[in-house]
Amino acid sequence: MPQRKQVTQVQPFLDRDTDTWSYVVYDREGGSAAVVDAVLNFDAASGRTSSWGAEEIVSFIRRKRLTLEWMLETHAHADHLSGAPFLKGQLGGRIAIGEQIRQVQEIFREVFNLERGFLVDGSQFDHLFKDGDIFQVGELEARVIYSPGHTPADMVWLIGDALFVGDTLFMPDVGSARCDFPGGDASQLYHSARKILGLGEEIRLFVCHDYPPQGKRDHQCETTVGIQRRDNIHLREGISEAEFVEIRKRRDANLAMPKLIIPSVQVNIRAGQLPPAESNGTVYLKVPLNQL
């Protein structure tokens, strides 16, 4: 008798301040879990961090009696601080990202003129994945898919029948991620998206952000590869690479920088850790003028 395919359990959490979706991905109640793209709350006006959003995730994991094995980052986010270190401190597990984070670290070490001891080898993370790597989340098999374009280090996580695409794709009526950050490339994003959209049509696809068209709907997080292939306004079947690059060039030219890009990148290239405290015991974040 053929074995029934196991369905990946996915619990989404929305941070409305940054329009960010985080996910607890698990095999079964009492089993194993990964968290994708956790958020640490940050108030830019006061410079204060808080963990209320990550605490909701911790409560859910404990309620379901899950063992947290992985905290997976799709990339070094520019719109929120990572909550992965908080989760690790509460529940254990390993923080992981794609190995190309080294390239992003090198770029932003120069932008922020970071301290001499800041390493650009990815060693701040517990594990660096390579394209095509296979790993386990309990009974679920997971596969790593390299998806550059938004940044040079984006990774997509295919865990069982659930695909977590980070900022590569948005919901079909929103389209795709910007490509104008340092190291971004619209042609690369087009080919990354085509690779993703070449997967099975029935695969569930989960986005990292949703920016609902004004007044038309509430936040959503889930679609399928088949729906994206048919309906994505930037990347549906029939749109050529040249057309997509032109779409992104026009849109990116009119986009403001994310509100939290300056604190977020400084923290996220450190695997969510804050910079070292200075001689007075206080942690500071830098603001590079006229650089971004």
Side-chain angles (χ1 to χ4, degrees), residues 66-84:
L66 301 171
T67 298
L68 181 58
E69 296 185 348
W70 294 101
M71 285 134 287
L72 303 172
E73 302 285 3
T74 52
H75 62 295
H77 303 273
D79 37 35
H80 69 267
L81 280 64
S82 171

Side-chain angles (χ1 to χ4, degrees), residues 56-283:
E56 289 184 11
I57 293 175
V58 170
S59 295
F60 177 84
I61 289 172
R62 287 177 173 157
R63 192 163 64 250
K64 293 291 185 181
R65 298 177 292 105
L66 301 171
T67 298
L68 181 58
E69 296 185 348
W70 294 101
M71 285 134 287
L72 303 172
E73 302 285 3
T74 52
H75 62 295
H77 303 273
D79 37 35
H80 69 267
L81 280 64
S82 171
F86 177 82
L87 295 178
K88 181 178 178 178
Q90 294 289 308
L91 299 168
R94 291 189 284 173
I95 302 173
I97 200 167
E99 64 176 347
Q100 288 81 5
I101 188 61
R102 301 176 182 123
Q103 185 179 343
V104 176
Q105 289 176 325
E106 196 164 344
I107 290 169
F108 284 103
R109 178 180 62 179
E110 301 306 314
V111 170
F112 291 108
N113 194 31
L114 296 179
E115 71 275 5
R116 188 172 298 175
F118 178 77
L119 301 176
V120 294
D121 59 0
S123 58
Q124 299 85 350
F125 296 83
D126 297 315
H127 188 82
L128 300 181
F129 279 107
K130 298 178 181 178
D131 184 31
D133 279 351
I134 303 292
F135 64 103
Q136 294 293 130
V137 179
E139 298 172 4
L140 298 169
E141 183 176 275
R143 179 156 64 97
V144 182
I145 303 172
Y146 182 41
S147 56
H150 173 59
T151 80
D154 284 60
M155 285 291 192
V156 168
W157 312 103
L158 178 57
I159 305 175
D161 69 335
L163 183 67
F164 300 89
V165 298
D167 286 7
T168 304
L169 293 169
F170 295 148
M171 293 301 291
D173 57 349
V174 180
S176 62
R178 65 193 300 163
C179 299
D180 60 333
F181 293 156
D185 185 286
S187 289
Q188 283 190 335
L189 185 64
Y190 180 84
H191 291 287
S192 294
R194 287 287 167 252
K195 183 163 51 175
I196 293 166
L197 297 179
L199 299 172
E201 288 197 358
E202 74 288 350
I203 290 174
R204 294 180 293 155
L205 187 151
F206 295 88
V207 299
C208 183
H209 299 286
D210 187 30
Y211 307 104
Q214 191 68 37
K216 291 190 176 179
R217 59 172 177 80
D218 197 6
H219 287 82
Q220 297 175 1
C221 66
E222 181 179 352
T223 178
T224 68
V225 168
I227 290 170
Q228 288 278 14
R229 192 184 297 173
R230 187 186 70 227
D231 295 337
N232 188 286
I233 60 171
H234 296 162
L235 285 158
R236 64 180 177 269
E237 287 184 347
I239 293 179
S240 70
E241 179 180 348
E243 288 171 320
F244 174 74
V245 170
E246 184 56 32
I247 288 169
R248 282 266 45 108
K249 191 182 298 182
R250 287 198 310 269
R251 287 179 64 83
D252 292 349
N254 295 304
L255 292 176
M257 281 287 115
K259 293 177 183 177
L260 297 183
I261 185 172
I262 287 174
S264 295
V265 173
Q266 289 179 77
V267 170
N268 293 340
I269 60 175
R270 303 173 188 269
Q273 297 290 346
L274 299 177
E278 298 196 9
S279 58
N280 62 355
T282 301
V283 173

